[in-house]
Amino acid sequence: MSTYKQTCTNLLELSNSKVTEWLASFDTVITDCDGVLWIYGNALEGSVDVMNQFKAMGKKIYFCTNNSTKTRAELLKKGLELGFRITEEGIISTAHATAAYLKQRKFDKRVYVIGSEGITQELDKVGIKHTQCGPDPMQGPLGEFMAKHLKLDSDIGAVVVGFDENFSFPKMMKAASYLNDPKCLFVATNTDERFPMPNMVVPGSGSFVKAIQTCSERTPTVIGKPNPAICESLLNPKKIDPARTLMIGDRANTDILLGFNCGFQTLLVGSGIHHLSDVDQWRKSKDPEDKKLIPDVYLPKLGDLLPAIVNSQTGGSY
Amino acid sequence: MMEGGTTIKLLDLPGQQVSEWLRSFDTVLSDGDGTIWQDDTEIEGAAAVLNALQNHHGKRVYIITNNGLKTRSELFGRAQHLGFQVPNDQHIISPTATIVEHLKQLPDFDSSKHKVYVVGNAAIGRELRENGIESYGAGVEEPLAKGDKWQDFAMRELTKPEAADNVGAVVVGWDEHFSYCKMARACHILCRNENSAFLVTNRDAVHKYPNFCIPGTGAFVAGIEACAGREALEMGKPNPVVLEPLIQSGALRPQRTLMIGDCPKMDIAFARNCGMQSLLVGTGSFPLDILQQNSHLPQPDFYLPKLGDLLQFL
């Protein structure tokens, strides 16, 4: 068990020898992407160096994102272009995990998708049939729409909801109608309510899921963080040792909570959604659920670890 | 008023007891759909009953509906057309009317400089305009433009000052043109303008039919609430805020008011929330025997199979 468990210890305030000790306490690193490694199109300062140093130190590296708009191949391309040394097997994404979840259940019907090509391409890869994503705007007033344009397919066995820039009333109506059959599966890629964007609040998958949840009166199976299902393939069979795995993230209720749920060590970086002021709130809170959000250790940004890593490699003698 | 007792079936009471009961309230609030009308058709006997209560028994009668698709004056027009003799449109309580009343008394909303962003149907825009409040978005389609990705929309539209400047409220109603772009605009305003009002006509989640389900306003607002991290104020039953203007003006006293409706979750809950007597009519989805099997639902004080059954006592 980590000495720092749920203490939110600021690594910048520890001595070099303590940080070196901490660096040696984990063999696997699972990191979130948006807000930790990059923001939108740009790598965050120092993130590439730190992750590549972890790899050079012999640690296993995984990128784990709730972003369902990209396939693993696209995420790999982005990571490589920014300079990260990563392979496709090292990428855990909700789009991929959603397709894997359905495949594992031997799903053999068709999926109604409210999402983007990140999801449909991953479904194609595992041979699962699905509807097309893209625009589905309202045609005419409701009466006319229902009489002339609304078509419900009879072979839909699941509704998958992720991030959809073409979210619309017709899609809500179709999803609610399909989900009226209790045998139809309801899967959400993730429940992040906001899509990380600098200086702007924009709806994320979680907002679309909430809308569908409300009009279908059903609760979805959520694939992404903090549900341990997303790293199922690492935990069973035991590819990694949870106690010697570090989870890095910027959002406590997905990344840090996933770490808590899986028994990982956790590092919160302040370069994205949550900050030390949020941790203070959780410390003061009487709700035991809030305690799970408190990380073991903290850094303002991942790049801040670089001096300590260099120091640990050179034994402080440079 | 009964406290946790069993529902009294008015038709089982002797006439004298019913007459006594009729003297226990001065104001009558009646639901619309399923109680006195079904869309543009009167439920038989309903007009005769409400008119008798008003004209022969001196009661003040109000029609209180969660229909957010028509303005107060349009609903009054329907009432008149179907034979209800309520004196003027002030006797119609509807979400669009409640929204206007609520905005007018909010200290942070100034109709001389603020406008309202509406994610909803055109009636909301009409009601606001009829009451001197400027709005935009009502009844408007806003799908993502061809060739646009969501980032293009957000960076172009939400960085404009007019995307949030002087927008004093976001109102959500039933919207068959609900879209990502509308959600994004609403969230942007609600997060930028902390003092903006956030109102919703009603929270119906869905309307279920045998072969399809029609999303309700509750679903649209849930999506916006999730992103904005703020809760909307419901401008319809069963929220007691709906009754505030009438209570403030002294037009009614809840303890001397009877609420009549067909929906336990809306009408009976509303009566409970406001401290009024409740009369359930069986012309909706919950005739009494079904309701009593669902004891988790609010049980009414009184029951009639249909409102017209009261006529014999009037």
Side-chain angles (χ1 to χ4, degrees), chain B residues 272-290:
Chain B
R272 286 269 178 85
N273 291 343
C274 300
M276 306 185 286
Q277 290 190 54
S278 60
L279 165 61
L280 180 78
V281 291
T283 37
S285 335
F286 283 94
L288 190 64
D289 50 351
I290 307 275

Side-chain angles (χ1 to χ4, degrees), chain A residues 105-156:
Chain A
R105 292 179 68 104
K106 304 200 185 353
F107 182 81
D108 61 355
K109 297 178 121 197
R110 214 154 140 255
V111 179
Y112 178 67
V113 178
I114 296 182
S116 57
E117 289 198 4
I119 299 172
T120 53
Q121 285 178 23
E122 293 285 5
L123 289 171
D124 285 337
K125 270 182 143 185
V126 293
I128 293 180
K129 299 194 293 289
H130 56 80
T131 57
Q132 292 314 308
C133 52
D136 188 4
M138 189 59 172
Q139 294 160 290
L142 184 64
E144 188 193 310
F145 173 67
M146 283 169 50
K148 294 198 194 145
H149 305 288
L150 175 63
K151 298 251 178 309
L152 293 177
D153 299 329
S154 53
D155 58 348
I156 300 291

Side-chain angles (χ1 to χ4, degrees), chain B residues 55-211:
Chain B
N55 302 332
H56 304 314
H57 292 262
K59 313 295 185 199
R60 294 179 83 138
V61 174
Y62 295 86
I63 297 174
I64 174 166
T65 175
N66 269 9
N67 184 335
L69 298 171
K70 291 192 181 308
T71 63
R72 168 179 244 171
S73 65
E74 287 159 1
L75 288 162
F76 177 62
R78 170 193 282 177
Q80 284 188 305
H81 173 70
L82 296 181
F84 295 90
Q85 290 163 7
V86 289
N88 55 55
D89 73 3
Q90 297 299 301
H91 282 254
I92 306 288
I93 304 167
S94 74
T96 57
T98 303
I99 286 165
V100 166
E101 308 265 5
H102 185 77
L103 285 173
K104 292 204 150 166
Q105 54 82 54
L106 276 181
D108 286 327
F109 187 84
D110 178 354
S111 54
S112 67
K113 28 184 242 277
H114 289 149
K115 45 190 200 291
V116 177
Y117 177 55
V118 179
V119 178
N121 57 81
I124 301 172
R126 288 197 296 273
E127 185 83 74
L128 290 167
R129 192 181 337 119
E130 278 167 34
N131 288 276
I133 298 175
E134 194 194 328
S135 73
Y136 64 109
V140 158
E141 295 175 42
E142 192 171 19
L144 202 57
K146 257 200 166 66
D148 255 6
K149 302 214 84 22
W150 67 269
Q151 297 94 325
D152 304 318
F153 169 82
M155 297 300 262
R156 187 186 60 237
E157 297 297 326
L158 304 184
T159 51
K160 292 178 180 165
E162 57 264 33
D165 281 358
N166 294 321
V167 184
V170 171
V171 170
V172 181
W174 198 79
D175 190 359
E176 61 197 17
H177 295 297
F178 192 70
S179 70
Y180 167 83
C181 296
K182 293 186 171 203
M183 281 173 85
R185 280 193 192 279
C187 294
H188 177 70
I189 293 163
L190 291 167
C191 293
R192 249 326 137 83
N193 303 346
E194 277 168 16
N195 292 328
S196 55
F198 184 16
L199 309 177
V200 63
T201 54
N202 64 303
R203 284 190 185 276
D204 288 356
V206 64
H207 305 284
K208 292 196 177 187
Y209 293 89
N211 296 326

Side-chain angles (χ1 to χ4, degrees), chain A residues 187-257:
Chain A
V187 178
T189 58
N190 60 306
T191 51
D192 304 54
E193 294 92 353
R194 296 176 177 183
F195 199 101
M197 266 287 259
N199 306 318
M200 211 178 270
V201 171
V202 285
S205 304
S207 301
F208 310 124
V209 171
K210 243 318 157 29
I212 303 297
Q213 203 169 326
T214 305
C215 60
S216 66
E217 297 184 312
R218 285 185 55 180
T219 313
T221 300
V222 181
I223 300 294
K225 302 175 278 186
N227 188 341
I230 197 170
C231 35
E232 188 66 32
S233 56
L234 298 179
L235 299 170
N236 285 316
K238 280 191 92 186
K239 266 181 159 171
I240 62 174
D241 175 2
R244 294 192 58 85
T245 297
L246 176 69
M247 177 75 207
I248 308 176
D250 68 306
R251 180 193 273 277
N253 59 336
T254 48
D255 308 317
I256 305 304
L257 188 52

Side-chain angles (χ1 to χ4, degrees), chain A residues 64-78:
Chain A
C64 180
T65 180
N66 269 2
N67 184 336
S68 63
T69 63
K70 295 197 184 316
T71 60
R72 285 203 309 174
E74 286 165 339
L75 287 164
L76 175 66
K77 184 158 175 272
K78 178 170 184 168

